[in-house]
Amino acid sequence: MAKYHLCSAGWLESGRVAYPTAYASQNCGSGVVGIVDYGPRNNKSEMWDVFCYRMKDVNCTCKVGYVGDGFSCSGNLLQVLMSFPSLTNFLMGVLAYSNSSARGRAFLKHLTDLSIRSTLFVPQNSGLGDNETLSGRDIEHHFANVSIFYYSDLVNGTILRTRLGSQLLITSSQDQGQLETRFVDGRAILQWDIFASNGIIHVISRPLKAPPAPVTAVHTGLGTGIFFAITLVIGAVALAAYSYFRLHRRTTGFQRFESEEDIDVTALGKRQPENISNPMYESATSAPPEPSYDPFTVSEEQQLESGDPLGVQ
């Protein structure tokens, strides 16, 4: 393109009308990079600008990240999608999905990743109304990230695996005029082999609907989460009860120990002992006093008296 970027269409030597672009722009070539060709013009009296090329000195090639013959170059899947006004409804759904979740952003990145080769089915605007919304699963169901499948590869019975891991079935039918129509999951393929630098786009009549998410996986994960939550709650309650009773026992023992220390021991020595009466001893007769002498000692008087037992002196 000799570094030209002009938005003014002009006559070429072959009777065609075209103009060159060096970078993608919606206002200049609808995002196409290369030669925007209007094709041969039947009315040669039309008023267009004039461009002169010396083909021997100029070699038109697509820059890095684009594919084409130099006269027409295409960018990645997202850029090509943006260049088709008839596919804007699906594009708006993709952009909304990318703004809603991390998975949506990852999907948008796949559309621009030049290291992969993918096949993207896109419903035209007439099949996807403005009021119809597609879920994230539905959008990713349109994307077969295994390889590039040209229209010639989409024969009857072909199965494609999508980014979700789901499958797309290709079928075909012929009318009475032997014209073949190919379908992907029952949606007619209206336009095909739209090239991008990292894949290919096929336009279909209506959007695809993704199968529901596996129920078993969701229930298993939910059951596991509930089990661990219950386990944590029981463990927390048991720990709290153990801590409470242990602290309660410590507090009780400490209070008893304090009450024993608070007893005034010195007061016990000053307190007068109380007389405790015993009825058995109070009712008994008092014993006579014991003699002051030694009963085993015999005095002289007793000896004299004992000498006269009759009392005769």
Side-chain angles (χ1 to χ4, degrees):
M1 292 183 299
K3 303 301 181 181
Y4 288 120
H5 183 85
L6 301 173
C7 293
S8 180
W11 286 103
L12 300 181
E13 183 181 5
S14 59
R16 305 168 73 91
V17 172
Y19 61 92
T21 58
Y23 54 89
S25 173
Q26 290 297 317
N27 298 326
C28 183
S30 299
V32 176
V33 175
I35 303 298
V36 181
D37 193 349
Y38 289 1
R41 311 303 294 180
N42 295 326
N43 185 5
K44 298 300 188 288
S45 64
E46 292 177 347
M47 303 299 292
W48 300 95
D49 292 330
V50 178
F51 294 96
C52 299
Y53 293 94
R54 297 174 60 187
M55 300 305 296
K56 293 182 180 180
D57 298 335
V58 177
N59 182 20
C60 294
T61 58
C62 297
K63 64 181 182 179
V64 177
Y66 292 83
V67 294
D69 57 4
F71 290 93
S72 178
C73 300
S74 301
N76 57 53
L77 287 169
L78 181 61
Q79 290 174 321
V80 174
L81 191 60
M82 295 174 65
S83 67
F84 279 81
S86 61
L87 306 178
T88 54
N89 287 353
F90 183 78
L91 174 63
M92 292 299 102
V94 171
L95 296 178
Y97 179 42
S98 67
N99 291 328
S100 64
S101 65
R103 187 174 178 88
R105 290 189 291 273
F107 177 78
L108 187 68
K109 185 177 180 180
H110 269 72
L111 296 181
T112 61
D113 190 350
L114 299 180
S115 65
I116 63 175
R117 297 292 181 268
S118 311
T119 301
L120 180 65
F121 296 94
V122 182
Q124 62 180 1
N125 288 345
S126 59
L128 179 60
D130 295 336
N131 296 329
E132 184 178 0
T133 59
L134 298 177
S135 66
R137 288 182 56 84
D138 291 336
I139 291 175
E140 295 198 28
H141 191 57
H142 290 75
F143 187 79
N145 60 346
V146 177
S147 180
I148 294 178
F149 288 87
Y150 299 100
Y151 187 73
S152 59
D153 299 325
L154 302 177
V155 298
N156 189 33
T158 302
I159 296 178
L160 285 71
R161 186 170 296 277
T162 70
R163 176 170 163 78
L164 287 179
S166 54
Q167 294 181 345
L168 298 174
L169 176 63
I170 304 298
T171 56
S172 63
S173 65
Q174 292 181 341
D175 58 13
Q176 295 179 353
Q178 299 300 314
L179 294 176
E180 183 186 38
T181 303
R182 298 182 183 181
F183 302 87
V184 51
D185 275 8
R187 281 71 169 173
I189 301 176
L190 306 177
Q191 189 177 354
W192 50 86
D193 292 352
I194 302 174
F195 293 99
S197 56
N198 60 342
I200 197 168
I201 293 177
H202 303 299
V203 180
I204 56 179
S205 58
R206 292 180 294 113
L208 302 170
K209 292 296 182 181
V215 178
T216 54
V218 175
H219 285 179
T220 302
L222 182 61
T224 304
I226 293 175
F227 172 76
F228 280 112
I230 293 175
T231 303
L232 289 176
V233 171
I234 293 176
V237 171
L239 179 61
Y242 172 76
S243 301
Y244 172 78
F245 286 113
R246 185 176 180 182
L247 180 61
H248 183 69
R249 291 182 60 186
R250 282 187 176 182
T251 306
T252 305
F254 181 72
Q255 289 176 349
R256 288 181 178 178
F257 184 73
E258 272 191 340
S259 62
E260 292 177 0
E261 284 188 347
D262 290 340
I263 297 176
D264 191 358
V265 181
T266 58
L268 296 177
K270 298 179 179 180
R271 187 180 302 174
Q272 296 296 328
E274 297 180 359
N275 294 325
I276 301 175
S277 61
N278 191 329
M280 295 182 62
Y281 287 98
E282 291 179 353
S283 60
T285 304
S286 299
E290 295 184 0
S292 57
Y293 61 89
D294 188 357
F296 296 99
T297 305
V298 180
S299 62
E300 294 181 355
E301 291 183 1
Q302 289 177 341
Q303 290 178 358
L304 292 176
E305 292 177 355
S306 60
D308 187 4
L310 298 178
V312 179
Q313 296 182 356

